[in-house]
Amino acid sequence: MPAIIYLKKGREEALARFHPWIFSGAIASAEGAPREGEVVEVRSAAGDFLALGHCQPGSIAVRILAFEPCRIDAAFWFDALQRAFRVRQALRLAGNPHTTAYRLVHGEGDFLPGLVIDIYGAVAVMQAHSAGMFLARKEIAAALQEIYGAALPCIYDKSAATVPFKAGLEAQDEYILKNTAMPGETVIRENGHSFIVNWEAGQKTGFFLDQRDNRQLLAQYAKGRNVLNLFCYTGGFSVYALRGGAAAVHSVDSSSAAMDVTLRNVGLNSAAAAPHQAFTADAFEFLRRSDGHAYDLMVIDPPAFAKHAGALKNALQAYRRLNAAAFSKIAPGGVVFTFSCSQVVDKTAFRNAIFSAAAISKRRVRILHQLTQPADHPVNIYHPEGEYLKGLVLLVE
Ligand code: SAH
């Protein structure tokens, strides 16, 4: 029997609307001393069953797994992952030879709060953002094996940096399944382009799958343009720009490891004949020193400047400063692809920061496209916080 958590009177409302989190302030009492990461049953003040979820000390105290009584066992994980897999089949991602990398599980967006699973060809990389998902990792991996069979000989858990254990437990990155001599990196295909993904040493799970559709859009604008790709990581946008017929591409990132992979990725997609140059540098500095009007297509895809609400003000200032510099430098008629992946910066706040940046530059700026994350990063309608990626494509005259 799971431990039981009773909510305060009147605090079951969010659950009635299927919001997947219970904040610690809503909890009245607990019965059975739940341990960190354990599955708990949530009941109303009157004692009625409401949901089952993973508990965790902290402001989000329970992450909901089910709104009806059930067992969180092997069959539960199999069903949940099977549902996620079928969605990716419907999206023509699973089983597509032109795009072999996709997100299979996107946390709350797949009703599995705290869990991310990315598929890179024959490799699955799992990342737990909650203690409960970390403790369940072996069962989750077993369900993955059941679904994919021999097509998935390698499952890597990369939770060391993401599980916020309070109880002094530790997570270590490890192979849960390693049926082949996988060298820690693989080559995936995305819209027909090739990319090296190093899941052991790379950032996050190894690759930023969430920009897939936006990179494709960039390719349509690239022909004949001089492209600056700021915060390029492993060169995703750069490869699409080159393959899209750019006149020249400059890629900038502060990580030299990322720049090495960028160069290898450009090499892999050798139809990319235009000149490419890689700069290991601070993007703000690089932009400040660059010649005016040297570029007429820019990508600005920085890391999350605000990781929590407290950092919001500084983050908005950073977006403003960065984009104002880009608008000031870009050639007339230039196009800027600008992004924010900070969850706490919502669409309106980001748009306002870009508005201020445009006003500072005194350029005529128009929005051509409003971008977001792709369909394999779905947003649970009851959890609008899950819409984290915001992008604007701007025409700057
Ligand atoms: N556009 C990339 C993902 C960008 S992730 C893609 O499509 O794959 C953000 C990147 O910003 C990381 O690679 C990180 O190394 C880099 N970065 C962080 N701070 C930076 C800075 N001040 N200047 C340049 N790069 C920076």
Side-chain angles (χ1 to χ4, degrees):
M1 283 299 287
I4 299 169
I5 278 178
Y6 288 93
L7 297 189
K8 291 177 183 163
K9 205 156 178 271
R11 298 301 290 269
E12 59 281 328
E13 233 172 69
L15 279 188
R17 275 180 278 112
F18 301 111
H19 195 278
W21 297 344
I22 293 174
F23 291 99
S24 55
I27 293 175
S29 62
E31 197 178 288
R35 275 169 294 125
E36 183 170 17
E38 198 173 291
V39 174
V40 292
E41 184 177 318
V42 183
R43 293 191 187 168
S44 68
D48 297 324
F49 175 93
L50 295 173
L52 291 165
H54 281 144
C55 79
Q56 186 154 321
S59 114
I60 303 173
V62 185
R63 289 172 170 80
I64 304 302
L65 298 166
F67 291 93
E68 63 290 322
C70 65
R71 246 186 273 194
I72 309 298
D73 55 9
F76 171 87
W77 296 114
F78 178 80
D79 287 348
L81 294 188
Q82 176 90 319
R83 264 201 307 272
F85 181 68
R86 292 210 169 117
V87 172
R88 276 61 183 183
Q89 280 181 316
L91 294 171
R92 294 174 185 270
L93 288 170
N96 180 343
H98 302 290
T99 297
T100 59
Y102 56 92
R103 179 154 290 193
L104 175 70
V105 174
H106 184 60
E108 286 81 357
D110 284 287
F111 311 114
L112 291 170
L115 181 65
V116 162
I117 303 177
D118 287 336
I119 303 292
Y120 297 122
V123 183
V125 183
M126 306 178 28
Q127 203 160 51
H129 292 260
S130 70
M133 286 300 184
F134 181 71
L135 296 179
R137 67 195 182 286
K138 300 252 162 82
E139 278 183 278
I140 295 167
L144 271 177
Q145 268 181 274
E146 217 175 317
I147 292 166
Y148 285 86
L152 195 68
C154 180
I155 302 176
Y156 187 64
D157 179 70
K158 196 180 184 183
S159 302
T162 55
V163 191
F165 272 125
K166 295 256 158 79
L169 299 168
E170 270 185 35
Q172 262 175 3
D173 294 343
E174 59 171 350
Y175 286 90
I176 297 178
L177 176 69
K178 200 173 181 194
N179 270 349
T180 53
M182 281 284 183
E185 69 173 43
T186 189
V187 176
I188 59 105
R189 306 273 292 160
E190 189 185 87
N191 292 315
H193 309 305
S194 300
F195 292 101
I196 293 156
V197 176
N198 186 320
W199 58 87
E200 285 181 10
Q203 298 181 29
K204 300 281 177 76
T205 65
F207 194 67
F208 288 86
L209 295 165
D210 56 1
Q211 291 287 22
R212 182 193 311 112
D213 294 353
N214 303 332
R215 290 194 270 255
Q216 184 82 314
L217 181 66
L218 180 96
Q220 295 174 22
Y221 279 92
K223 198 158 184 59
R225 294 201 189 243
N226 290 310
V227 182
L228 175 61
N229 182 9
L230 295 173
F231 309 94
C232 70
Y233 186 47
T234 50
F237 283 103
S238 303
V239 165
Y240 278 73
L242 288 162
R243 298 279 298 255
V249 177
H250 288 174
S251 303
V252 180
D253 200 281
S254 56
S255 153
S256 60
M259 288 316 310
D260 290 345
V261 181
T262 294
L263 289 170
R264 291 172 64 201
N265 279 335
V266 169
L268 269 183
N269 297 276
S270 52
H276 172 263
Q277 264 182 283
F279 301 87
T280 304
D282 175 72
F284 289 81
E285 254 321 280
F286 187 91
L287 196 53
R288 200 173 60 76
R289 290 184 188 194
S290 72
D291 296 334
H293 298 182
Y295 304 103
D296 53 5
L297 181 56
M298 286 189 190
V299 182
I300 306 172
D301 183 26
F305 285 148
K307 295 221 159 63
H308 51 86
L312 186 58
K313 194 164 162 250
N314 284 345
L316 291 174
Q317 210 165 358
Y319 288 120
R320 198 157 52 231
R321 199 154 58 87
L322 189 58
N323 285 280
F327 296 152
S328 304
K329 290 277 166 134
I330 198 163
V335 173
V336 178
F337 279 60
T338 188
F339 297 96
S340 163
C341 60
S342 309
Q343 192 156 15
V344 296
V345 175
D346 67 19
K347 222 195 261 180
T348 314
F350 181 58
R351 176 101 160 241
N352 283 337
I354 302 306
F355 166 85
S356 305
I360 291 167
S361 73
K362 297 197 167 66
R363 300 285 293 266
R364 279 163 63 115
V365 177
R366 280 185 275 173
I367 298 174
L368 302 181
H369 303 268
Q370 306 188 42
L371 307 178
T372 184
Q373 63 223 46
D376 56 338
H377 296 58
V379 182
N380 175 343
I381 199 119
Y382 305 110
H383 180 256
E385 300 94 321
E387 187 180 342
Y388 69 100
L389 185 63
K390 286 103 15 211
L392 292 170
V393 179
L394 304 153
L395 177 61
V396 184
E397 287 164 304

